[in-house]
Amino acid sequence: MLDEIKHFLRIDHDEDDAMIEGFIKTGKAYIKNGVGKFIEDDDLFKLALTILVGHWYDNRELARIGNQSYPIPHSFEAIIHQLRYCYSDGDEG
């Protein structure tokens, strides 16, 4: 996932890899909390994770301040809503 997300975000250096890996781990938990699961090989789950990690990466300096909040992108919320609908019965496909 690291290489896929870095490619999507057009990051061509390795200096932020540990931070991005942390965002990936946290993002999977965030999505799992919202949907009830995270399916590693599902493209829609991967897209949601990529959008979320990209948002956190782009706003990482502001997140350190702690008193400013930037809403999660609408596209992420729309995907999570669809995933909840598609996987609410426990079916993985």
Side-chain angles (χ1 to χ4, degrees):
M1 279 301 305
L2 176 64
D3 289 337
E4 292 176 46
I5 289 175
K6 285 176 62 176
H7 178 74
F8 181 85
L9 299 176
R10 298 185 177 147
I11 299 170
D12 59 0
H13 56 81
D14 299 330
E15 290 84 21
D16 294 335
D17 282 5
M19 177 177 35
I20 295 168
E21 287 173 343
F23 288 155
I24 291 169
K25 182 178 177 181
T26 304
K28 287 179 180 180
Y30 189 97
I31 293 168
K32 184 177 179 181
N33 289 341
V35 178
K37 63 181 78 186
F38 184 88
I39 302 173
E40 295 283 338
D41 61 348
D42 185 287
D43 289 339
L44 203 50
F45 279 91
K46 288 181 184 180
L47 180 59
L49 179 62
T50 301
I51 291 168
L52 187 59
V53 169
H55 172 72
W56 287 340
Y57 184 79
D58 289 343
N59 294 289
R60 64 194 175 279
E61 292 300 321
L62 297 172
R64 290 182 186 161
I65 296 170
N67 60 357
Q68 295 191 14
S69 175
Y70 286 85
I72 299 295
H74 175 71
S75 54
F76 173 80
E77 294 294 335
I79 292 169
I80 291 297
H81 179 73
Q82 185 178 26
L83 290 172
R84 281 185 196 132
Y85 176 77
C86 292
Y87 295 102
S88 64
D89 61 356
D91 186 24
E92 293 190 13

Short mmCIF file of all heavy atoms in Angstrom, two decimals, residues 41-73:
data_model
loop_
_atom_site.label_atom_id
_atom_site.label_comp_id
_atom_site.label_asym_id
_atom_site.label_seq_id
_atom_site.Cartn_x
_atom_site.Cartn_y
_atom_site.Cartn_z
N ASP A 41 -7.97 -6.32 -0.21
CA ASP A 41 -7.88 -6.42 -1.66
C ASP A 41 -9.07 -5.82 -2.40
O ASP A 41 -9.25 -6.04 -3.59
CB ASP A 41 -7.67 -7.87 -2.08
CG ASP A 41 -8.81 -8.79 -1.67
OD1 ASP A 41 -9.66 -8.36 -0.87
OD2 ASP A 41 -8.85 -9.93 -2.15
N ASP A 42 -9.88 -5.03 -1.72
CA ASP A 42 -11.03 -4.38 -2.33
C ASP A 42 -10.62 -2.98 -2.78
O ASP A 42 -10.14 -2.17 -1.99
CB ASP A 42 -12.19 -4.31 -1.33
CG ASP A 42 -13.45 -3.76 -1.95
OD1 ASP A 42 -13.50 -2.53 -2.19
OD2 ASP A 42 -14.39 -4.55 -2.18
N ASP A 43 -10.83 -2.68 -4.05
CA ASP A 43 -10.39 -1.40 -4.61
C ASP A 43 -11.08 -0.20 -3.98
O ASP A 43 -10.47 0.86 -3.85
CB ASP A 43 -10.61 -1.38 -6.13
CG ASP A 43 -9.65 -2.29 -6.87
OD1 ASP A 43 -8.58 -2.62 -6.32
OD2 ASP A 43 -9.97 -2.67 -8.02
N LEU A 44 -12.33 -0.34 -3.58
CA LEU A 44 -13.03 0.78 -2.97
C LEU A 44 -12.48 1.09 -1.58
O LEU A 44 -12.32 2.25 -1.20
CB LEU A 44 -14.53 0.51 -2.92
CG LEU A 44 -15.46 1.71 -2.84
CD1 LEU A 44 -15.13 2.75 -3.90
CD2 LEU A 44 -16.90 1.27 -2.96
N PHE A 45 -12.14 0.05 -0.82
CA PHE A 45 -11.49 0.25 0.47
C PHE A 45 -10.13 0.92 0.27
O PHE A 45 -9.76 1.83 1.01
CB PHE A 45 -11.32 -1.08 1.22
CG PHE A 45 -12.55 -1.56 1.93
CD1 PHE A 45 -13.46 -2.38 1.30
CD2 PHE A 45 -12.80 -1.17 3.25
CE1 PHE A 45 -14.59 -2.84 1.95
CE2 PHE A 45 -13.94 -1.62 3.92
CZ PHE A 45 -14.83 -2.45 3.26
N LYS A 46 -9.39 0.47 -0.73
CA LYS A 46 -8.08 1.06 -1.01
C LYS A 46 -8.20 2.53 -1.39
O LYS A 46 -7.39 3.37 -0.97
CB LYS A 46 -7.37 0.31 -2.14
CG LYS A 46 -6.87 -1.05 -1.75
CD LYS A 46 -6.18 -1.69 -2.95
CE LYS A 46 -5.73 -3.09 -2.68
NZ LYS A 46 -5.07 -3.68 -3.87
N LEU A 47 -9.21 2.86 -2.20
CA LEU A 47 -9.41 4.25 -2.60
C LEU A 47 -9.74 5.12 -1.39
O LEU A 47 -9.20 6.22 -1.24
CB LEU A 47 -10.50 4.36 -3.66
CG LEU A 47 -10.80 5.77 -4.16
CD1 LEU A 47 -9.56 6.42 -4.76
CD2 LEU A 47 -11.95 5.73 -5.16
N ALA A 48 -10.63 4.63 -0.54
CA ALA A 48 -10.96 5.38 0.68
C ALA A 48 -9.72 5.62 1.51
O ALA A 48 -9.49 6.73 2.01
CB ALA A 48 -12.03 4.63 1.49
N LEU A 49 -8.90 4.58 1.67
CA LEU A 49 -7.67 4.71 2.45
C LEU A 49 -6.73 5.72 1.81
O LEU A 49 -6.14 6.56 2.50
CB LEU A 49 -6.99 3.35 2.60
CG LEU A 49 -5.69 3.33 3.38
CD1 LEU A 49 -5.91 3.78 4.82
CD2 LEU A 49 -5.06 1.94 3.33
N THR A 50 -6.59 5.68 0.50
CA THR A 50 -5.70 6.59 -0.20
C THR A 50 -6.16 8.04 -0.04
O THR A 50 -5.34 8.93 0.22
CB THR A 50 -5.64 6.22 -1.70
OG1 THR A 50 -5.16 4.88 -1.81
CG2 THR A 50 -4.73 7.14 -2.47
N ILE A 51 -7.45 8.29 -0.15
CA ILE A 51 -7.99 9.64 0.03
C ILE A 51 -7.73 10.13 1.46
O ILE A 51 -7.31 11.26 1.67
CB ILE A 51 -9.49 9.68 -0.31
CG1 ILE A 51 -9.69 9.47 -1.82
CG2 ILE A 51 -10.13 11.00 0.15
CD1 ILE A 51 -11.13 9.21 -2.21
N LEU A 52 -7.98 9.26 2.42
CA LEU A 52 -7.80 9.63 3.82
C LEU A 52 -6.34 9.91 4.14
O LEU A 52 -6.01 10.94 4.75
CB LEU A 52 -8.34 8.53 4.72
CG LEU A 52 -8.38 8.81 6.22
CD1 LEU A 52 -9.24 10.04 6.52
CD2 LEU A 52 -8.92 7.59 6.96
N VAL A 53 -5.45 9.03 3.70
CA VAL A 53 -4.02 9.24 3.94
C VAL A 53 -3.55 10.51 3.24
O VAL A 53 -2.79 11.30 3.82
CB VAL A 53 -3.19 8.01 3.49
CG1 VAL A 53 -1.70 8.32 3.49
CG2 VAL A 53 -3.50 6.80 4.37
N GLY A 54 -4.02 10.74 2.03
CA GLY A 54 -3.66 11.97 1.31
C GLY A 54 -4.11 13.22 2.05
O GLY A 54 -3.37 14.20 2.15
N HIS A 55 -5.31 13.17 2.59
CA HIS A 55 -5.82 14.31 3.36
C HIS A 55 -4.96 14.57 4.59
O HIS A 55 -4.58 15.71 4.87
CB HIS A 55 -7.28 14.04 3.76
CG HIS A 55 -7.84 15.04 4.71
ND1 HIS A 55 -8.16 16.33 4.33
CD2 HIS A 55 -8.12 14.96 6.03
CE1 HIS A 55 -8.62 17.00 5.37
NE2 HIS A 55 -8.61 16.19 6.41
N TRP A 56 -4.67 13.51 5.33
CA TRP A 56 -3.84 13.66 6.53
C TRP A 56 -2.43 14.12 6.15
O TRP A 56 -1.84 14.95 6.85
CB TRP A 56 -3.78 12.36 7.31
CG TRP A 56 -5.05 12.03 8.04
CD1 TRP A 56 -6.06 12.89 8.39
CD2 TRP A 56 -5.45 10.75 8.51
NE1 TRP A 56 -7.05 12.21 9.05
CE2 TRP A 56 -6.70 10.90 9.14
CE3 TRP A 56 -4.86 9.49 8.47
CZ2 TRP A 56 -7.38 9.84 9.73
CZ3 TRP A 56 -5.54 8.43 9.04
CH2 TRP A 56 -6.79 8.60 9.67
N TYR A 57 -1.89 13.60 5.07
CA TYR A 57 -0.54 13.99 4.65
C TYR A 57 -0.51 15.47 4.25
O TYR A 57 0.38 16.21 4.64
CB TYR A 57 -0.08 13.10 3.50
CG TYR A 57 1.34 13.37 3.06
CD1 TYR A 57 2.41 12.85 3.79
CD2 TYR A 57 1.62 14.15 1.95
CE1 TYR A 57 3.72 13.11 3.40
CE2 TYR A 57 2.92 14.40 1.56
CZ TYR A 57 3.97 13.88 2.29
OH TYR A 57 5.26 14.13 1.91
N ASP A 58 -1.50 15.89 3.48
CA ASP A 58 -1.54 17.28 3.01
C ASP A 58 -1.76 18.27 4.15
O ASP A 58 -1.36 19.42 4.04
CB ASP A 58 -2.65 17.47 1.98
CG ASP A 58 -2.33 16.81 0.66
OD1 ASP A 58 -1.15 16.48 0.41
OD2 ASP A 58 -3.28 16.61 -0.15
N ASN A 59 -2.40 17.83 5.22
CA ASN A 59 -2.71 18.72 6.34
C ASN A 59 -1.90 18.39 7.59
O ASN A 59 -2.27 18.78 8.69
CB ASN A 59 -4.21 18.64 6.66
CG ASN A 59 -5.04 19.18 5.52
OD1 ASN A 59 -5.06 20.37 5.28
ND2 ASN A 59 -5.69 18.30 4.79
N ARG A 60 -0.78 17.72 7.44
CA ARG A 60 0.00 17.24 8.59
C ARG A 60 0.55 18.38 9.44
O ARG A 60 0.59 18.27 10.65
CB ARG A 60 1.12 16.31 8.15
CG ARG A 60 2.17 16.96 7.28
CD ARG A 60 3.05 15.91 6.61
NE ARG A 60 3.98 16.49 5.69
CZ ARG A 60 3.70 16.85 4.45
NH1 ARG A 60 2.48 16.69 3.99
NH2 ARG A 60 4.62 17.37 3.67
N GLU A 61 0.92 19.47 8.86
CA GLU A 61 1.45 20.59 9.65
C GLU A 61 0.37 21.22 10.51
O GLU A 61 0.60 21.56 11.65
CB GLU A 61 2.07 21.64 8.74
CG GLU A 61 3.33 21.17 8.03
CD GLU A 61 4.43 20.75 8.99
OE1 GLU A 61 4.61 21.42 10.02
OE2 GLU A 61 5.11 19.76 8.70
N LEU A 62 -0.82 21.34 9.97
CA LEU A 62 -1.93 21.94 10.72
C LEU A 62 -2.41 21.00 11.82
O LEU A 62 -2.86 21.45 12.86
CB LEU A 62 -3.07 22.28 9.78
CG LEU A 62 -2.71 23.34 8.73
CD1 LEU A 62 -3.84 23.49 7.73
CD2 LEU A 62 -2.41 24.66 9.39
N ALA A 63 -2.30 19.71 11.60
CA ALA A 63 -2.73 18.74 12.60
C ALA A 63 -1.86 18.84 13.85
O ALA A 63 -2.32 18.57 14.96
CB ALA A 63 -2.67 17.32 12.03
N ARG A 64 -0.61 19.24 13.69
CA ARG A 64 0.29 19.36 14.83
C ARG A 64 -0.11 20.51 15.75
O ARG A 64 0.17 20.50 16.93
CB ARG A 64 1.72 19.57 14.35
CG ARG A 64 2.29 18.33 13.71
CD ARG A 64 3.72 18.56 13.30
NE ARG A 64 4.20 17.42 12.56
CZ ARG A 64 5.23 17.43 11.78
NH1 ARG A 64 5.94 18.54 11.63
NH2 ARG A 64 5.60 16.35 11.13
N ILE A 65 -0.76 21.51 15.18
CA ILE A 65 -1.18 22.66 15.99
C ILE A 65 -2.25 22.22 16.98
O ILE A 65 -2.27 22.67 18.11
CB ILE A 65 -1.70 23.80 15.08
CG1 ILE A 65 -0.56 24.32 14.21
CG2 ILE A 65 -2.30 24.92 15.91
CD1 ILE A 65 -0.99 25.27 13.12
N GLY A 66 -3.12 21.33 16.57
CA GLY A 66 -4.09 20.74 17.47
C GLY A 66 -5.37 21.53 17.65
O GLY A 66 -6.36 21.00 18.11
N ASN A 67 -5.37 22.80 17.30
CA ASN A 67 -6.58 23.58 17.51
C ASN A 67 -7.30 23.89 16.21
O ASN A 67 -8.29 24.59 16.21
CB ASN A 67 -6.26 24.88 18.26
CG ASN A 67 -5.29 25.76 17.50
OD1 ASN A 67 -4.80 25.39 16.46
ND2 ASN A 67 -5.03 26.93 18.05
N GLN A 68 -6.81 23.40 15.11
CA GLN A 68 -7.47 23.61 13.83
C GLN A 68 -7.95 22.27 13.31
O GLN A 68 -7.28 21.26 13.46
CB GLN A 68 -6.52 24.25 12.83
CG GLN A 68 -6.11 25.64 13.24
CD GLN A 68 -5.38 26.34 12.12
OE1 GLN A 68 -5.40 25.91 10.99
NE2 GLN A 68 -4.76 27.45 12.45
N SER A 69 -9.09 22.29 12.70
CA SER A 69 -9.66 21.06 12.18
C SER A 69 -10.05 21.27 10.72
O SER A 69 -10.66 22.29 10.39
CB SER A 69 -10.89 20.67 13.00
OG SER A 69 -11.50 19.55 12.45
N TYR A 70 -9.68 20.35 9.89
CA TYR A 70 -10.06 20.39 8.50
C TYR A 70 -10.91 19.16 8.21
O TYR A 70 -10.50 18.05 8.49
CB TYR A 70 -8.83 20.43 7.59
CG TYR A 70 -8.19 21.79 7.64
CD1 TYR A 70 -7.27 22.11 8.63
CD2 TYR A 70 -8.54 22.77 6.72
CE1 TYR A 70 -6.72 23.37 8.70
CE2 TYR A 70 -7.98 24.03 6.79
CZ TYR A 70 -7.07 24.32 7.78
OH TYR A 70 -6.52 25.57 7.85
N PRO A 71 -12.11 19.38 7.69
CA PRO A 71 -13.03 18.26 7.50
C PRO A 71 -12.48 17.23 6.52
O PRO A 71 -11.74 17.55 5.59
CB PRO A 71 -14.29 18.92 6.95
CG PRO A 71 -13.89 20.27 6.48
CD PRO A 71 -12.64 20.65 7.22
N ILE A 72 -12.87 16.00 6.76
CA ILE A 72 -12.53 14.90 5.87
C ILE A 72 -13.18 15.20 4.51
O ILE A 72 -14.33 15.66 4.47
CB ILE A 72 -13.05 13.57 6.44
CG1 ILE A 72 -12.42 13.28 7.81
CG2 ILE A 72 -12.83 12.42 5.49
CD1 ILE A 72 -10.94 13.04 7.79
N PRO A 73 -12.49 14.93 3.41
CA PRO A 73 -13.07 15.21 2.08
C PRO A 73 -14.41 14.51 1.86
O PRO A 73 -14.62 13.38 2.31
CB PRO A 73 -12.01 14.68 1.11
CG PRO A 73 -10.74 14.66 1.90
CD PRO A 73 -11.15 14.40 3.33
#
